Amino acid sequence: RKEVEQDPGPFNVPEGATVAFNCTYSNSASQSFFWYRQDCRKEPKLLMSVYSSGNEDGRFTAQLNRASQYISLLIRDSKLSDSATYLCVVKVEGGSQGNLIFGKGTKLSVKP
Amino acid sequence: ETGVTQTPRHLVMGMTNKKSLKCEQHLGHNAMYWYKQSAKKPLELMFVYSLEERVENNSVPSRFSPECPNSSHLFLHLHTLQPEDSALYLCASSSGIGTDTEAFFGQGTRLTVV
């Protein structure tokens, strides 16, 4: 089983749509969770951290279910500029440095 | 504008060449990383340096040799690479250990081995 698995993409949605990404992780010792965004031919950038209580940042809502080892990202009222690849990232503490484990990413394409 | 700068942005090299990738961070971080991103695969961690000491090497072939002379600079020395090593190589830095430590990435070096 892959360490971090994400929905296969691509997701093609119209502007204004609500889109949800799902992610599961295999290591129950995972401590921290993030969603990164990567634009075409650019570097990944942090979109938001994911907290156990769930958190919201404008049109973006992230949820974490530790029991199911499941993370989600919801984008409401999607914009053309949301088109990118969304990477689910898990951090496993241990050793002398935490290690970020990336999923393959799900590509989102928002159309006019 | 990124606090992590990588050079060169693009590199084409033959299998017998020796080249180096450079990374510089201006964020005052004390941890630096090399990642490899191949098509259709997730980012793979190659090396981690904390306070200029290598703390993790994920079984990377010896044809990749990292160097961290100080906390702001990281190099990846390349020699006798294979075509399958063609990928985007990303450098990242973070402020160190911490549950919510964000990693900042450079724009990457797109490497093609011919």
Side-chain angles (χ1 to χ4, degrees):
Chain A
R1 182 181 174 184
K2 296 185 181 68
E3 291 194 74
V4 178
E5 289 201 69
Q6 295 187 239
D7 279 346
F11 283 25
N12 298 306
V13 303
E15 267 187 295
T18 295
V19 60
F21 300 133
N22 302 314
C23 171
T24 56
Y25 59 94
S26 60
N27 190 336
S28 58
S30 301
Q31 298 275 10
S32 310
F33 310 90
F34 310 89
W35 284 100
Y36 275 69
R37 169 189 169 138
Q38 186 171 22
D39 291 288
C40 187
R41 306 189 77 82
K42 295 287 186 71
E43 74 276 18
K45 292 184 179 179
L46 180 67
L47 178 65
M48 59 197 302
S49 300
V50 187
Y51 302 114
S52 296
S53 54
N55 47 300
E56 189 174 307
D57 182 3
R59 297 181 293 109
F60 299 83
T61 300
Q63 298 275 355
L64 168 65
N65 184 324
R66 284 187 185 271
S68 303
Q69 296 182 196
Y70 169 91
I71 307 159
S72 67
L73 176 68
L74 186 76
I75 305 176
R76 290 181 299 279
D77 187 24
S78 52
K79 311 291 185 191
L80 297 176
S81 57
D82 293 334
S83 297
T85 296
Y86 290 82
L87 304 168
C88 178
V89 185
V90 168
K91 190 169 189 178
V92 180
E93 302 298 333
S96 49
Q97 194 62 240
N99 187 4
L100 292 175
I101 310 294
F102 285 78
K104 281 189 183 181
T106 303
K107 186 173 180 180
L108 171 66
S109 181
V110 181
K111 306 290 188 185
Chain B
E1 189 69 30
T2 176
V4 181
T5 305
Q6 288 187 243
T7 55
R9 294 290 307 280
H10 301 272
L11 178 63
V12 179
M13 61 185 288
M15 289 189 282
T16 58
N17 290 159
K18 288 185 180 181
K19 296 286 184 184
S20 295
L21 309 185
K22 180 182 175 182
C23 177
E24 184 174 357
Q25 59 98 358
H26 315 277
L27 301 168
H29 290 165
N30 57 23
M32 297 186 77
Y33 311 78
W34 279 116
Y35 282 88
K36 175 183 178 181
Q37 188 173 35
S38 305
K40 310 293 185 187
K41 293 176 74 174
L43 269 77
E44 301 169 64
L45 179 65
M46 299 176 74
F47 300 102
V48 180
Y49 275 83
S50 176
L51 298 172
E52 302 150 46
E53 286 193 25
R54 188 193 306 182
V55 296
E56 188 155 342
N57 171 357
N58 283 3
S59 302
V60 177
S62 59
R63 56 186 183 268
F64 296 92
S65 174
E67 178 190 359
C68 188
N70 55 62
S71 59
S72 299
H73 294 85
L74 185 64
F75 295 89
L76 187 62
H77 303 300
L78 317 171
H79 64 97
T80 59
L81 294 193
Q82 304 298 311
E84 59 265 29
D85 296 322
S86 298
L88 179 68
Y89 288 84
L90 289 159
C91 172
S93 71
S94 68
S95 58
I97 301 170
T99 53
D100 279 346
T101 303
E102 177 182 353
F104 291 81
F105 286 84
Q107 292 180 298
T109 295
R110 190 161 295 280
L111 174 67
T112 303
V113 181
V114 297

